[in-house]
Structures are given as C-alpha cells and as structure tokens.
Amino acid sequence: MSATATRPATDPATDPAATGTAAAEPRPSLLSSAVRSPAARKLAALVVIAAVLIPLAHAKWASGSWPHALTVDVSGPLGDASDWILDNRDSHWIFLYFFGHISNVIIIGVRAVYVALLALGWAGVTAGLTLIAWRVAGVRIAVTTLVSFAICGLLGMWVPTMQTLALMVIAVTASVVIGGLLGLAGGLSEWAFRVLRPVLDTMQVLPAFAYLLPVVMIFGNGVPGAVLATVIYAAPPMARLTALGLRGADAGVLEAVTSLGATWRQRLLSARLPLARKELLLGINQTIMMALSMAVIASVIGGGGLGDRVYQALSSVDVGKALAAGLPIVLLAVVMDRTIGSAGERLGTPPAEGGHRLLRGWPAWAGVAVVTAVITVVGRLTGSQTWPTGWTVAIEEPVNQFKEWMVDHLYTGVPVVGGTADWAADYVKWILDPLREGLQGLPWYAVLLIVAALAWLIGTWATALTATAAMAAIGVLGVWEPSMDTLSQVLAAVFVTLVLGFAIGIWAARSTRLERMMRPVLDMFQTMPQFVYLIPVVALFGVGRAPAAAAAIVYALPAVIRITTQGIRNVDPAALESARSLGATQGQQLRQVQLPLARPALLLAVNQGVVLVLAVVVIGGLVGSGALGYDVLFGLAQGDLATGLVAGTAIVCLGLMLDRVTQPTSRRDRKGA
Amino acid sequence: MARTRIQLLTAAAGIAAVFTATGCGAADMTKQSSPYANVGGAKSVTLSVQSWVGAQSNVAVAQYLLEHELGYRVDTVQVDEIPAWDALSQGRVDAILEDWGHPEQEQRYVKDKKLIVPGGGLGVTGHIGWWVPKYFADKHPDVLNWKNLNKYAKTFKTAESGGKGQLLDGSPSYVTNDKALVKNLKLNYQIVFSGSEAAQITQIKQFAKGKKPFLTYWYEPQWLFNQVPMVEVKLPKYTDECANEGTKDPESVDCAYPTTPLQKYLNADFAKQGGKASAFLKKFHWTKQSQNEVSELIASKGMSAQDAAKKWVEAHPDVWKKWMP
C-alpha cells in the first residue's frame, strides 16, 4: 500500500504524476509514518468528496447499475463509419493513394520473402539459418536451430512455417523500424517521450481482437491486415527500449564526445546509439516474441501460415493437429530468442582470441553465403523444394489419444479430489458467481469510490483520477454489466494464479533443480499459442467461465512464477544470513525476511498476473466466458464495428484501471523493459 | 557530398520501384490477391474455408480435384462468414462454397458493386434449429415440443445457466435469433454462448459421454449427428411473414429458422477469367450424404482433409466427373 511512500520516485521527469503537486511533496521515509499520515489523509479527502457527491448522484439516478442517462450510444456513428469504409473503399482517394499502397507494399514484401525462402528450399533455409546462428551465437544455438527446423519439416509443416516466417520477417522489420523511430524521438525529446507513453500503453493493453476489425475494414482480410495488426502490437517494446537505451546513455561519455567537437548527428551515431545497442537488441528480441504471439490471432483474419493451421485444426476439434502446427511456432520463438539473446551477450565482450582469422569478420559471412548456396543447389538436385513428403512423423494420433485418456480419467469421479468437472462447477458456484453478483450488485458510485481509494493509496491523485475515469468511461459506453462480469472473472483468475504462482515460485526459489526442470515447461506455456489448449480446457472443464479461467491461469502463471522466484532469490544474502544466525527457522526466514524484502518483485508479479490474465479475456470468449470477450468476437465475426470496438475499449479501460490499482507509480517506468 | 547524393538517389529509386511495382498511382483495392498465390508460376486458386467441418469438406474435395485433375495449386484461408464476403470482394479469396444467406452482403457486393457473382447452389440444404440428444428424447418424448420446454428447464440446468435451463449456443459468427426466441416464447432458459464451434462440439460430446440431458442450437448437415444422434425440438412454424418482420426488427422473431439451400459465390473477375477452375467451381454440386461422408472422415476419424477428399473422390467418380469443365 505504501510502497510509493517508502521509495522515492525514480525519475521525476518520467513520472506522469510529477506534473501534479502531490509528487513534489517530500515523502516520509519511515514506513510507520507513511501508513499513518498520507494514507489517512487521502482516505479522509475521499470520504469528504464521496459525502458530497453520492447523495447527489443517488437522488438523481437511483439505480445500482450505471444510470442510463449517463451513457452515450456510439453504435450509430460507428455503424455509419463502417458503412462508409465499405462503400468507398474502392473509389475514395485515401484508399486508392494511401492505404492501398501500404497494402500492396506489404503484399509485395511478404511475397518476395516467401518466394526467396521457397527458392532456397528446405535444405538452403535450414543450412543458411543454422550457419547464421552459429556465426552470431555459437555452436549450441546452431544445433538448436538445425534441430528446430528439422522438427518443423518432420511435423509436415514446412510450407506453413515458411509462410509464417515470411510474414514475421516483414512484420518484425516494420515493427523494428517504426518502433525504433518512435523510440528515437522519445529518447531525444522529453516532450515526445511524454506524449508517447500513453500511446504505447494503449497499444499494448488494447486487445488485438478489438483492432483487428478496423484494420480488416481498411486494409482488407489476409496478409496486410495481419501484418499491420502485428505491428501495432509488437512495435511498443521496441519504442520503449530504444527510448530507454538512449536516455540511459552515460553522460560522461556524451560529454567527452561533445568536447571533441562532434556534431549532433555524429554524437547520435557514434556515441548514443552504440551505447544503447544492448537495449536495442533486447527491443528487437521482445518485438519478435510479441509478433510471434500474434501469428495465431492474425490467422483469424486470414493471415495464413502456421496460425491458420492451428485455427483450422481446432474447428475440427483436433488437438493433435493443432499441436503439430503450434510446436513450430514455439520452436521459431525459441530459436530467435536464444540466437538474439546470445548475440546480445557477446556484443559487449571482445571477440575470442585465437581461432582462424577467416572465421571472423566479413570472410566468415561470405563463407556462410557460399556454403548456403552450395547446400541449396545440392538440395535442389535431390528434387523437392519443400520438405520431402516421406520424411514426416504423425504426432496427431498419439496426442489425441492422450487427450482422450486424460479427459476420460480426470473429468469426473477421481477419488478424494473430485474430477475436473466438479472443480469447474465449484469454482463457478463458490468463487465466480458470488464475485460477479457482488460486483454487479454494488452501486456504481461505490465501485468508483473503491477504485479511487485503492488507486490513491498505492499512487498519487493522478493515478486515482486515471483509474476512476477509466471505470467511468466503461459506464458511459453502456457496457457496465458485462464489464463487471468480466472484472469478476479476471479477479478470480488472478487470485488463483497468484496463489499457485507464489507457492510454486517460492518452492522453485529454494530448489535450483526444480527451477531448471521447470524452465522448458514455462517457456512452452508462454510461447504456445493459446488456441492450442482451448479444446483440452473445454474437454476438462466444460463450456463456460471455468475453462476460460483455466486458459488464463495457464497463460499468466509462468510470468508470476518467474518473477517470484527471481525476487526471492535476489533478496540481500546478508539479511538472510543475519536472520539465520539469530536462529530463525526456514518458515520464519521466509515470512519475516524474504517475503518482505521481495515485496517489490511480488507486487510486480501481481501486476503482470493482472495484465496477462486480461490479455486472455478475448480468448476466453471462444470457450464461453461470455461478457466482453464474447462481444469482441461477435463484433469481429459479424463485421459489427460498434459492438466490437466498444467491448474492446471497455477491456482497455479495465486494464488501465487494474494497472493503476496494482502498480506503484514509482515502478511503472520499468514496464515493458 | 557525393555520398549523400547517392543515398538520396537510392532512396528515390527505391520509392519509384515500389510505386511501379504497385501499379503507379492509384492502388486497386478490388484486386489484391494473397502473397502466397501463384508462386513459382503455378496457376492458383484461393478458397475460403469457414469454421464448420461441412465447409471444410466442400473445400477439401474441390481442392483435391483442382490440384489432381485440373493442375491448379490451391490455397485455403479460414475466415468467418462476413469477413469472407469482404475478402471475396477484394479478390483475396476467389470463392465461397457454402453460404448460409447474407442478404445485406448480397445487396452490397452482388447487386450494387457487382464485385461478386452467384456461383449457383451447392446442392445441400441447411437447417438451423434446437436439438436434444436422442437418448434423452426417447425417454421424454414430450420435450420435442417447445411448449413443454419450461417443464424441463431444471433438467437442463448447469453451473453457467444461473438457475435456469441452459440453451447451448455456438460461435458468434453464426446466424441466431435465440435471444429473441427465448424472450418471445417466454422460456425459462439462459443462453450460454460457447464462443466457437469447437468448444460447442467438445461440450456436446462430453455431455453425450455421460448420457446427460442437454438442449443446443445446432444445424444440419453436420457430421456430429453420426456420433451423437440428436432430435430436433419443434419451434413455432416458420412463416415468411414472421421472417419479414424479423428482418425489420430482429427482436420480434418468434418462429423457427428457415430451411436454406446453400449457395456458392465467386469473385466477379475470377468468375470471368478463372478458366477451368471457375467453370469447375460453378458446376460443383453434391448432396448432404456425400458432404457428411467426407466431414466425418475429417472430424471424427482424424483423417487429414486431403486424405478424406481423396478417399471420397476415388469412391465416387460418377459424381465428380460431371463437374469437370
């Protein structure tokens, strides 16, 4: 609660609250006084405001739910807008001379990469990428690359993998360029930085499904829409990290460069950018990861490739086939993550001494090109350009059998613990239903007041204002009821995620072996497209809000576990040592030293849990969670801009509100890094 | 500075190249084929697949014949119905093989803009309705009339239906009047949207495994009937009058769903210049039994769509020989 008060704001210039007076106050550093005075003062102020406003509001609109008089119906204008787009798309100049060209450039780009990949053939692509990985990241990662591409071929997914790769190359390039330029502006100009932050926040919180529809209307179904949707989602981390890198450049070095008489441009190119290259590389890496996670979502609007295979497999309820298409996505993510990560680690260190001169610098790159060309030709001589059809392994059957077995044995009647169907029913009956009824039953002004109080206690008055305004916007848009429903689902899923995540995280922090064993599993859950486990969760938990919660928990758990483990591991060893010497037991050490000291990390875990669970709300709509998630899907499927966009905006508002009430202002700067 | 000039020239050349490549000047938004189409000089056709398995079967058989008999390369994209119309008008897909009736889109794209042309009937008739499993209807035959549904509301209750009976609905992309029906027929039911057909099928199979009672929005032709036999619940008779009122005010609907002969639609340019492929797709015409045969191979026997199509094509040359241009 008082985390803000105990730690000074990191950088007043980057803190949105710094514009207000609250942040300018000197903050007491003692925990006790922090709890006593500012919190009490804030609450007292709120009570006064509430005492004045609530009777007024109650007298005017005496209803529990958001009063109808305070809503704005946007379906008319949005409907007109979508009709206008459809009617003018093939005649108006803005499409003919602007959007149309963007579309065409994307199509030509993706096509060029795809044709090149097909021309290299399976042998050329595999050899080329393996050699590049070896050059920039070493032997181990080269082997990983080789094996991964072989698996993509063996699973019979060569062509879709190449389609996804072509789409990714263009989408990532565009994201890196756009994100990099935005980051450059943000890194060099204070004003641009301040304008950019809320924009980037919105881009990341906005559920992809909400902007798929406008993107589709303007750019049309298929690849251009898919690429643009991916760019919207994947460019923010690049922009954030570029800005972070540029702003963090060592002042001493810059001073030295300036004193040497360097021009502004020379300073940027020769000092600031090179100094920021680790952040830039990390930004590229994050962008690739986020772009890949969009691959499946983009398939909903006809992006093709692996995502489309996952999506098609699911419509025939074939988990095995979906997994066969999902695994290559995971493998692509792993290969790119490890390659770039390792390249980043090598950046700072001087090249290893010894080794032949020819293995370094441009001769090595020429070598890579020559060897790739030779292997391509050899591959062509053997015949097939795409993966040879005989060399495939069918994993569909065993996977489906395993799923059936699991469902048969776990659904009901497991002794003592009960089956998954019983869990689902209990979860709905004892957690979700009371929570939803409670939230929907609360008068709307009470909800606003609670939000304001929570946000103010953890942050500044500006935080509280943002959170309350976000909540009020939901009411104004006329989706109060479904939003409360969604909120109840998110809160319940976050609760379960945190309980499990903290428990497993603490356990993993104590056992290095467990942590090492869990690492690949966590990797897989984080990168596997969520669509793949939609069918198993329905088979286990039935249709409704319970399977949606299960999907959200599976998705959010890895991040919570990781942050918890890290946080507890990083607790100052001296503090722990002194506790041990005083004879504290394991439990006491945990409760009285590790957990309190790891509190910033735990709070971050809470925040990430909330953000990630919220990100799966729309996916939950696919398995019957109803409420906002379903509305977004409905808008997309029916081409109904009003329903989809309003529900999407409501999700953004919920996200904004939840972020503000869970994240102390002082730490918000690090997000996205 | 020479270097700057070279850079500028390169940039200008690049921009010029892009504009030349994109057709210089105005971009034609009605001619935007998929980047994966026609790669390597192959003639190719892009077909849209909808999320239900029946639509996959049409596409699988058409794809097999186009590839093996006519020498085309076929790309398939899965898109929801309304976005598929949009894609069809832009030439991103060449054909929709199974349309369940979208009057608004027909008006806009077929009649007004003439970007899409009808491709004739598919030969299959579609019907939407409410269904209960046969094992339940056999024991309680009176459930088959909507007037008795309220009596069974308690039986169809689930954790999600909040004390009322559960009416399981499907994907948000499907045509449905169920909200209006439940309200206007004064039924004590809660609609639970499963959000996707896959989720709905999984749930129905799960119910059937435990021989549990359920009431669901469903449609035929559908392969699932072969695995989970279901019987339709009679709703108030469908009349044109009720349908017309429903078009005006969707909340007034109080009668059953119509029976729709499913239609094919082609992109107008493709219909004219698509050669043998478009001639073939116009002639493509089969029966509910044939479609279900392929669907079941795909969805429950775990066959790939291509293998299922191959099996059907080999077994029924008499049917498809007639479609050849």
Side-chain angles (χ1 to χ4, degrees), chain A residues 86 96 101 111 221 539 543 622, chain B residues 25 27 37 92 113 196 203 206:
Chain A
L86 292 181
L96 297 184
H101 284 301
R111 191 182 167 85
N221 237 291
V543 152
L622 285 169
Chain B
R92 291 226 160 98
K113 297 190 158 198
S196 58
Q203 178 71 79
Q206 202 60 270

Side-chain angles (χ1 to χ4, degrees), chain B residues 123-141:
Chain B
V124 179
T125 302
H127 177 64
I128 298 169
W130 292 0
W131 311 73
V132 289
K134 190 166 182 304
Y135 52 75
F136 184 75
D138 286 347
K139 275 190 224 143
H140 310 274

